[in-house]
Amino acid sequence: MTPFITAKEEKLVKACLNKDRQAQRQLYNQYVRAMYHLAMRMVTDASKAEDIVQESFIKVFQYLNNYKGDATLGAWIKRITINTCLSHLRKAERLVFTDNFNEQIPARESQVKTSSKNQLNKIHAAIKELPTGSRTVLTLHLLEGYQHQEISEILGITVSTSKTQYRRGRLLLQKILKEKYKLTY
C-alpha cells in the first residue's frame, strides 16, 4: 500500500478492477458530484459538464489498472476530469490564451470573501462569464489549488501565460462583480 491510498480505497480499486458493479457504483458515487462541479467551473454548460463527467468515469474505469497510488485516488480522478474538460474545450476551439495584457494590475490583490450563499452564487456566475482561457487558469489555480508550473504543463502554455491569464481573470472577475453584481472586493 502506498501512502496516498487508504486500505479501504485499495480494496475498492481492486474490487472495481475485478468488475464488481457495486464497487464501481460506490467509486462513481463517491466522486461524481465533485467532478461535476469541477467540470461546470471549466465548461459552464450543465449538459456538457454531465457528458464530460460520464466520459471521465469511462476513462477512470478503463485505465484504473494504471492507477499506481502515487497520488490520492480523488486527485487521479480529478486529473482525468480536467484533461477531459480541456479536450472538449480544445475541440470546440474555445480554449484560447492571450499574452496581451494591458490592464492595470493592482499593487495588492484583495481576497475574495463571501459571507453569504447569495454572494457565492454571484461569484460562480461571474466566473462563468470569464473568457475560457482565463476561467480555466483561474479555476485550476484558485479553486483546484494547482501551481502555475503545473498549470503550464497541463495546458501546454508557459508559466508566464498562466500567471497572466490568472491575473487577467482576477481583474475581469472583480470588474464583473463590481459592475454587474454590485459586489466589491
Side-chain angles (χ1 to χ4, degrees), residues 53-67:
V53 169
Q54 295 307 311
E55 185 179 331
S56 297
F57 275 96
I58 289 169
K59 291 175 184 178
V60 165
F61 292 118
Q62 183 178 2
Y63 298 109
L64 193 57
N65 61 326
N66 293 340
Y67 174 64

Side-chain angles (χ1 to χ4, degrees), residues 82-97 132 136 151-157:
I82 288 170
N83 288 340
T84 305
C85 287
L86 294 174
S87 175
H88 278 263
L89 290 171
R90 285 184 184 113
K91 284 179 189 172
E93 296 180 7
R94 290 180 46 208
L95 188 58
V96 178
F97 298 100
T132 307
T136 301
I151 294 169
S152 74
E153 292 168 9
I154 291 169
L155 299 177
I157 59 177

Side-chain angles (χ1 to χ4, degrees), residues 4-5 9 13 16-17 27 31 35 38 56-84 146:
F4 292 106
I5 186 168
E9 283 182 330
V13 167
C16 289
L17 289 171
L27 179 72
Y31 291 102
M35 296 310 117
L38 169 62
S56 297
F57 275 96
I58 289 169
K59 291 175 184 178
V60 165
F61 292 118
Q62 183 178 2
Y63 298 109
L64 193 57
N65 61 326
N66 293 340
Y67 174 64
K68 303 299 181 212
D70 50 356
T72 64
L73 184 59
W76 185 77
I77 294 171
K78 181 194 291 188
R79 186 63 180 254
I80 289 171
T81 304
I82 288 170
N83 288 340
T84 305
Y146 286 93

Side-chain angles (χ1 to χ4, degrees), residues 41 78 124 127 135 137-146 166:
R41 287 191 297 268
K78 181 194 291 188
H124 284 293
I127 289 171
R135 183 181 66 244
V137 172
L138 186 118
T139 297
L140 291 174
H141 184 69
L142 185 64
L143 304 176
E144 299 302 324
Y146 286 93
Y166 175 72

Side-chain angles (χ1 to χ4, degrees), residues 101 103-113 122-123 126-127 129-130 138 142 166-185:
F101 188 67
E103 298 179 45
Q104 185 68 25
I105 299 171
R108 185 173 157 201
E109 292 183 15
S110 62
Q111 294 294 322
V112 176
K113 297 177 184 175
K122 289 177 181 178
I123 292 169
I127 289 171
E129 295 182 34
L130 295 174
L138 186 118
L142 185 64
Y166 175 72
R167 284 191 306 273
R168 180 174 182 249
R170 289 279 305 239
L171 287 174
L172 289 172
L173 180 61
Q174 288 173 347
K175 182 178 178 182
I176 292 167
L177 288 171
K178 182 179 180 181
E179 292 175 0
K180 188 171 183 177
Y181 298 105
K182 308 299 185 230
L183 298 175
T184 55
Y185 295 98

